[in-house]
Amino acid sequence: MTEVPTMDELLKDAPTNWGKWGPDDEIGALNYLTAEEVLRGVRHIRQGSVFTLQRLIGDPKGDPVWPGRKPAVRTMILDEASWDADDAPQFPGGLHYADDKIDAFLQGSTQYDALGHVWYGGQIWNGYDARTTVGGLDRASVAPIAERGVAGRGILLDMARFRGKDNLDKAETFTHEDLMACAKAQGTEIEKHDILIIRTNFLKLFFEQGDAFYEGFCEPGLTYSPELVSWFQEMEIPNLVTDTIANEVTMDPENGTALPLHCALMRNLGVTLTEICDLERLAADCAEDGQYTFLYAAAPLKVNQASGSPVNPLAIK
Ligand code: UVW
């Protein structure tokens, strides 16, 4: 069996954007999304149709999560039954209300990853010491991303449709060249600073298969190559959005590592990842009218020191 390289070995000569936006940067390639880029996105609003891209938290059919994480648990604190109790609070006028809370992994539903979410070699994004994550992310948490917000031209790359499938298969891979071919087949082109939104429809299998979905778990997705990483850097891609749990093929078939693009794109280039989106309604609309570009806007929840946080992104066509 060939030995799996460490990330340090695999990415020894890989490019980084560390220092490009100063020694204190925490939002990386989102810096590319200037006011002009927001207006470039706005120019793709033609119909006034709004698509929300978040999956329902607490879906009765289940919540897809990375192995080891648990779906959110929502608990009712107060409901009409509570107000019958002898010790129920009383409010003048007979006011009753419902209250509930959720116990949720911040990475357990549609979410933005903080740039400090993943690392190797003891350093996170921009070269910060990985010890700054201990007890909560002091650097490159999701909070600065949430504070800033994300808006720009989004382009849907419907890889499932491009490959003539309902959904991509377990461990199916594609490259940046496939993304460009997909865009071309859709009658469009990936431009510099585009927010890439990739549809695989892989999570359809989660809802069909239940627990069996996790047997030999390997999502489909982009696969690592030095050329792909250089392409992301040259195209100055700010944000990669997908409908899978981890945005890339889980186990790289070439080198055997897990999630090398998290390291090469997020940790090294500062590309923000957005995961577990529901792209079905948007994709159906794009297939119908042939318009695959739109204003993409998202503001993850502001959670201090967090490694990620839930979001309900919008695509406005
Ligand atoms: C991991 O980083 C393990 O998962 P994700 O980016 O999907 O949250």
Side-chain angles (χ1 to χ4, degrees), residues 66 69 107 111 113 117-118 245-246 259 262 275:
W66 177 261
R69 294 181 188 146
Q107 314 271 350
Q111 111 256 184
D113 281 351
H117 171 47
V118 155
I245 297 171
L259 306 186
H262 273 58
E275 297 162 331

PDB file of all heavy atoms in Angstrom, residues 66 69 107 111 113 117-118 245-246 259 262 275, ligand 1:
ATOM      1  N   TRP A  66     -21.831  15.621   8.984  1.00  0.00           N
ATOM      2  CA  TRP A  66     -20.523  14.941   8.907  1.00  0.00           C
ATOM      3  C   TRP A  66     -20.489  13.859   9.986  1.00  0.00           C
ATOM      4  O   TRP A  66     -20.962  14.102  11.113  1.00  0.00           O
ATOM      5  CB  TRP A  66     -19.427  15.988   9.132  1.00  0.00           C
ATOM      6  CG  TRP A  66     -18.024  15.455   9.160  1.00  0.00           C
ATOM      7  CD1 TRP A  66     -17.277  15.181  10.269  1.00  0.00           C
ATOM      8  CD2 TRP A  66     -17.210  15.151   8.030  1.00  0.00           C
ATOM      9  NE1 TRP A  66     -16.042  14.718   9.903  1.00  0.00           N
ATOM     10  CE2 TRP A  66     -15.968  14.687   8.529  1.00  0.00           C
ATOM     11  CE3 TRP A  66     -17.387  15.215   6.644  1.00  0.00           C
ATOM     12  CZ2 TRP A  66     -14.915  14.297   7.694  1.00  0.00           C
ATOM     13  CZ3 TRP A  66     -16.340  14.826   5.818  1.00  0.00           C
ATOM     14  CH2 TRP A  66     -15.124  14.371   6.348  1.00  0.00           C
ATOM     15  N   ARG A  69     -20.786  14.168  14.034  1.00  0.00           N
ATOM     16  CA  ARG A  69     -21.656  15.269  14.486  1.00  0.00           C
ATOM     17  C   ARG A  69     -23.076  14.755  14.624  1.00  0.00           C
ATOM     18  O   ARG A  69     -23.420  13.719  14.065  1.00  0.00           O
ATOM     19  CB  ARG A  69     -21.618  16.432  13.484  1.00  0.00           C
ATOM     20  CG  ARG A  69     -20.257  17.072  13.426  1.00  0.00           C
ATOM     21  CD  ARG A  69     -20.200  18.235  12.459  1.00  0.00           C
ATOM     22  NE  ARG A  69     -18.813  18.670  12.336  1.00  0.00           N
ATOM     23  CZ  ARG A  69     -18.264  19.152  11.233  1.00  0.00           C
ATOM     24  NH1 ARG A  69     -18.993  19.277  10.134  1.00  0.00           N
ATOM     25  NH2 ARG A  69     -16.999  19.512  11.213  1.00  0.00           N
ATOM     26  N   GLN A 107     -21.536  23.419  12.845  1.00  0.00           N
ATOM     27  CA  GLN A 107     -21.229  22.902  11.502  1.00  0.00           C
ATOM     28  C   GLN A 107     -22.237  21.829  11.099  1.00  0.00           C
ATOM     29  O   GLN A 107     -21.969  21.027  10.219  1.00  0.00           O
ATOM     30  CB  GLN A 107     -19.840  22.257  11.485  1.00  0.00           C
ATOM     31  CG  GLN A 107     -18.747  23.059  12.145  1.00  0.00           C
ATOM     32  CD  GLN A 107     -18.074  24.001  11.181  1.00  0.00           C
ATOM     33  OE1 GLN A 107     -18.308  23.927   9.991  1.00  0.00           O
ATOM     34  NE2 GLN A 107     -17.245  24.881  11.681  1.00  0.00           N
ATOM     35  N   GLN A 111     -24.071  25.959   6.511  1.00  0.00           N
ATOM     36  CA  GLN A 111     -23.160  26.745   7.367  1.00  0.00           C
ATOM     37  C   GLN A 111     -22.012  27.370   6.600  1.00  0.00           C
ATOM     38  O   GLN A 111     -21.607  26.887   5.531  1.00  0.00           O
ATOM     39  CB  GLN A 111     -22.642  25.852   8.490  1.00  0.00           C
ATOM     40  CG  GLN A 111     -21.215  25.469   8.482  1.00  0.00           C
ATOM     41  CD  GLN A 111     -20.957  24.026   8.037  1.00  0.00           C
ATOM     42  OE1 GLN A 111     -19.819  23.603   8.077  1.00  0.00           O
ATOM     43  NE2 GLN A 111     -21.946  23.252   7.605  1.00  0.00           N
ATOM     44  N   ASP A 113     -18.017  27.984   7.048  1.00  0.00           N
ATOM     45  CA  ASP A 113     -16.835  27.612   7.822  1.00  0.00           C
ATOM     46  C   ASP A 113     -16.024  28.877   8.090  1.00  0.00           C
ATOM     47  O   ASP A 113     -15.828  29.701   7.187  1.00  0.00           O
ATOM     48  CB  ASP A 113     -15.939  26.662   7.015  1.00  0.00           C
ATOM     49  CG  ASP A 113     -16.445  25.222   7.030  1.00  0.00           C
ATOM     50  OD1 ASP A 113     -17.376  24.909   7.796  1.00  0.00           O
ATOM     51  OD2 ASP A 113     -15.881  24.416   6.261  1.00  0.00           O
ATOM     52  N   HIS A 117     -11.197  27.059  10.704  1.00  0.00           N
ATOM     53  CA  HIS A 117     -11.876  25.781  10.991  1.00  0.00           C
ATOM     54  C   HIS A 117     -10.960  24.575  10.802  1.00  0.00           C
ATOM     55  O   HIS A 117     -11.088  23.574  11.499  1.00  0.00           O
ATOM     56  CB  HIS A 117     -13.102  25.689  10.074  1.00  0.00           C
ATOM     57  CG  HIS A 117     -13.806  24.382  10.061  1.00  0.00           C
ATOM     58  ND1 HIS A 117     -14.130  23.692  11.209  1.00  0.00           N
ATOM     59  CD2 HIS A 117     -14.289  23.626   9.039  1.00  0.00           C
ATOM     60  CE1 HIS A 117     -14.762  22.576  10.881  1.00  0.00           C
ATOM     61  NE2 HIS A 117     -14.849  22.504   9.587  1.00  0.00           N
ATOM     62  N   VAL A 118     -10.041  24.658   9.855  1.00  0.00           N
ATOM     63  CA  VAL A 118      -9.220  23.494   9.487  1.00  0.00           C
ATOM     64  C   VAL A 118      -7.770  23.938   9.320  1.00  0.00           C
ATOM     65  O   VAL A 118      -7.507  25.038   8.831  1.00  0.00           O
ATOM     66  CB  VAL A 118      -9.772  22.929   8.147  1.00  0.00           C
ATOM     67  CG1 VAL A 118      -8.726  22.170   7.376  1.00  0.00           C
ATOM     68  CG2 VAL A 118     -10.970  22.012   8.414  1.00  0.00           C
ATOM     69  N   ILE A 245     -21.723  17.882   2.332  1.00  0.00           N
ATOM     70  CA  ILE A 245     -21.385  18.170   3.729  1.00  0.00           C
ATOM     71  C   ILE A 245     -19.998  18.810   3.832  1.00  0.00           C
ATOM     72  O   ILE A 245     -19.743  19.606   4.717  1.00  0.00           O
ATOM     73  CB  ILE A 245     -21.477  16.875   4.569  1.00  0.00           C
ATOM     74  CG1 ILE A 245     -22.921  16.344   4.558  1.00  0.00           C
ATOM     75  CG2 ILE A 245     -21.007  17.101   6.000  1.00  0.00           C
ATOM     76  CD1 ILE A 245     -23.109  14.963   5.163  1.00  0.00           C
ATOM     77  N   ALA A 246     -19.102  18.454   2.889  1.00  0.00           N
ATOM     78  CA  ALA A 246     -17.728  18.949   3.048  1.00  0.00           C
ATOM     79  C   ALA A 246     -17.093  19.507   1.770  1.00  0.00           C
ATOM     80  O   ALA A 246     -15.863  19.629   1.695  1.00  0.00           O
ATOM     81  CB  ALA A 246     -16.847  17.872   3.647  1.00  0.00           C
ATOM     82  N   LEU A 259      -9.888  15.473   2.833  1.00  0.00           N
ATOM     83  CA  LEU A 259     -10.169  16.911   2.728  1.00  0.00           C
ATOM     84  C   LEU A 259      -8.930  17.788   2.464  1.00  0.00           C
ATOM     85  O   LEU A 259      -8.741  18.818   3.138  1.00  0.00           O
ATOM     86  CB  LEU A 259     -10.907  17.405   3.971  1.00  0.00           C
ATOM     87  CG  LEU A 259     -12.199  16.665   4.364  1.00  0.00           C
ATOM     88  CD1 LEU A 259     -12.887  17.371   5.549  1.00  0.00           C
ATOM     89  CD2 LEU A 259     -13.189  16.550   3.202  1.00  0.00           C
ATOM     90  N   HIS A 262      -9.768  21.529   1.810  1.00  0.00           N
ATOM     91  CA  HIS A 262      -9.981  22.389   2.977  1.00  0.00           C
ATOM     92  C   HIS A 262      -8.648  23.073   3.332  1.00  0.00           C
ATOM     93  O   HIS A 262      -8.616  24.246   3.691  1.00  0.00           O
ATOM     94  CB  HIS A 262     -10.465  21.574   4.177  1.00  0.00           C
ATOM     95  CG  HIS A 262     -11.957  21.376   4.257  1.00  0.00           C
ATOM     96  ND1 HIS A 262     -12.684  20.793   3.267  1.00  0.00           N
ATOM     97  CD2 HIS A 262     -12.852  21.708   5.225  1.00  0.00           C
ATOM     98  CE1 HIS A 262     -13.961  20.763   3.628  1.00  0.00           C
ATOM     99  NE2 HIS A 262     -14.086  21.314   4.809  1.00  0.00           N
ATOM    100  N   GLU A 275     -21.360  25.060   3.212  1.00  0.00           N
ATOM    101  CA  GLU A 275     -21.686  23.634   3.024  1.00  0.00           C
ATOM    102  C   GLU A 275     -23.154  23.325   3.309  1.00  0.00           C
ATOM    103  O   GLU A 275     -23.840  24.081   4.000  1.00  0.00           O
ATOM    104  CB  GLU A 275     -20.769  22.808   3.951  1.00  0.00           C
ATOM    105  CG  GLU A 275     -19.305  22.986   3.578  1.00  0.00           C
ATOM    106  CD  GLU A 275     -18.318  22.572   4.657  1.00  0.00           C
ATOM    107  OE1 GLU A 275     -18.643  22.646   5.856  1.00  0.00           O
ATOM    108  OE2 GLU A 275     -17.189  22.193   4.289  1.00  0.00           O
TER     109      GLU A 275
HETATM  110  C1  UVW B   1     -14.781  19.103   8.445  1.00  0.00           C
HETATM  111  O1  UVW B   1     -14.000  19.997   8.340  1.00  0.00           O
HETATM  112  C2  UVW B   1     -14.386  17.830   9.079  1.00  0.00           C
HETATM  113  O2  UVW B   1     -16.001  19.211   8.023  1.00  0.00           O
HETATM  114  P1  UVW B   1     -16.804  20.427   7.356  1.00  0.00           P
HETATM  115  O3  UVW B   1     -15.913  21.394   6.690  1.00  0.00           O
HETATM  116  O4  UVW B   1     -17.684  19.715   6.443  1.00  0.00           O
HETATM  117  O5  UVW B   1     -17.550  21.124   8.443  1.00  0.00           O
END
